Amino acid sequence: AQSVTQPDIHITVSEGASLELRCNYSYGATPYLFWYVQSPGQGLQLLLKYFSGDTLVQGIKGFEAEFKRSQSSFNLRKPSVPWSDAAEYFCAVGAPKGYLNTGFQKLVFGTGTRLLVSP
Amino acid sequence: DGGITQSPKYLFRKEGQNVTLSCEQNLNHDAMYWYRQDPGQGLRLIYYSQIVNDFQKGDIAEGYSVSREKKESFPLTVTSAQKNPTAFYLCASSPGQTTDTQYFGPGTRLTVL
């Protein structure tokens, strides 16, 4: 079964500084990987996803993530963070053949990283 | 506009009462999901449905029930058997194929008084 670890519960960055949020996964083969963002009291919005191919994935709002098989990681990065990026970020992993090889996609989510942006 | 709607946004329940949370999608997606979110615990899967008239228990189904009579609707009932129902509930949907992305609704915050 797959699992996800987001080791940082909170991260604070200065407005305009760069950002990297860590995500480590456990899965026996190449997984499907996702990053979602959640503003307070809202649903989750997809930032980017990795299924196969180029290991550097570009997403919305200027975010990117790099899949590193050797490190079982899928870290999220952004070169310059505005105040409006303050939110909670979730990494999720899915299995290519789906849940119990049924083809149905079950996502396992990390516990999230709360990003605070200081002025 | 296509999307997922959840209602109500806030719901208050007295102990011992059943309540039903609504989830509707007009994306023509086959698969629908219910998640529970608690602080510091991420999202946990309650129930999912791959197709109309079929649904399966997720990781924390005890005290919950669902139905899938229409493709666009997947209501969740929180029963009095759920011992700690206060949480944020999120509904999601996906087209249903292996590689598909899940899209989320805005959520319902349930508080037991």
Side-chain angles (χ1 to χ4, degrees):
Chain A
Q2 62 266 42
S3 66
V4 177
T5 301
Q6 292 181 248
D8 303 305
I9 298 174
H10 298 100
I11 281 186
T12 300
V13 300
S14 299
E15 191 171 13
S18 64
L19 170 70
E20 182 168 21
L21 301 182
R22 296 185 290 166
C23 172
N24 293 99
Y25 69 89
S26 174
Y27 185 67
T30 301
Y32 294 157
L33 295 161
F34 305 80
W35 274 101
Y36 286 88
V37 62
Q38 184 182 35
S39 297
Q42 302 297 316
L44 274 67
Q45 181 184 23
L46 180 71
L47 288 176
L48 47 79
K49 58 188 177 184
Y50 171 79
F51 288 159
S52 64
D54 193 344
T55 56
L56 185 61
V57 180
Q58 302 297 321
I60 63 171
K61 303 183 179 183
F63 286 94
E64 67 176 28
E66 186 171 10
F67 170 59
K68 292 186 177 180
R69 184 193 307 273
S70 61
Q71 299 177 19
S72 297
S73 69
F74 188 58
N75 294 350
L76 183 71
R77 301 193 297 245
K78 188 169 183 177
S80 176
V81 175
W83 175 86
S84 57
D85 278 351
E88 188 147 22
Y89 292 78
F90 291 93
C91 182
V93 60
K97 292 185 178 180
Y99 183 56
L100 298 178
N101 288 343
T102 62
F104 174 75
Q105 190 59 255
K106 175 185 175 183
L107 296 186
V108 174
F109 287 83
T111 52
T113 296
R114 183 167 298 279
L115 174 64
L116 305 173
V117 181
S118 61
Chain B
D1 285 342
I4 302 172
T5 57
Q6 292 187 242
S7 62
K9 187 170 179 63
Y10 299 98
L11 186 58
F12 297 90
R13 187 193 95 173
K14 293 181 180 179
E15 285 193 21
Q17 287 182 336
N18 293 352
V19 290
T20 298
L21 283 60
S22 169
C23 177
E24 304 276 335
Q25 55 98 359
N26 61 4
L27 301 167
N28 200 34
H29 285 173
D30 285 324
M32 297 187 73
Y33 316 72
W34 274 105
Y35 292 92
R36 171 179 172 141
Q37 185 178 24
D38 296 281
Q41 295 194 43
L43 278 69
R44 293 181 289 169
L45 183 64
I46 304 172
Y47 267 98
Y48 62 94
S49 169
Q50 295 179 255
I51 199 167
V52 175
N53 292 323
D54 182 70
F55 50 84
Q56 305 295 329
K57 293 181 179 180
D59 300 320
I60 56 165
E62 184 175 354
Y64 300 97
S65 65
V66 294
S67 63
R68 187 84 187 277
E69 298 177 0
K70 298 186 295 183
K71 186 175 185 177
E72 59 270 23
S73 179
F74 191 41
L76 173 74
T77 296
V78 184
T79 75
S80 56
Q82 169 49 237
K83 296 180 180 178
N84 185 22
T86 295
F88 191 53
Y89 291 87
L90 288 160
C91 178
S93 71
S94 69
Q97 300 304 309
T98 304
T99 59
D100 285 332
T101 301
Q102 292 183 22
Y103 298 90
F104 285 81
T108 292
R109 183 164 300 281
L110 172 64
T111 302
V112 174
L113 303 174

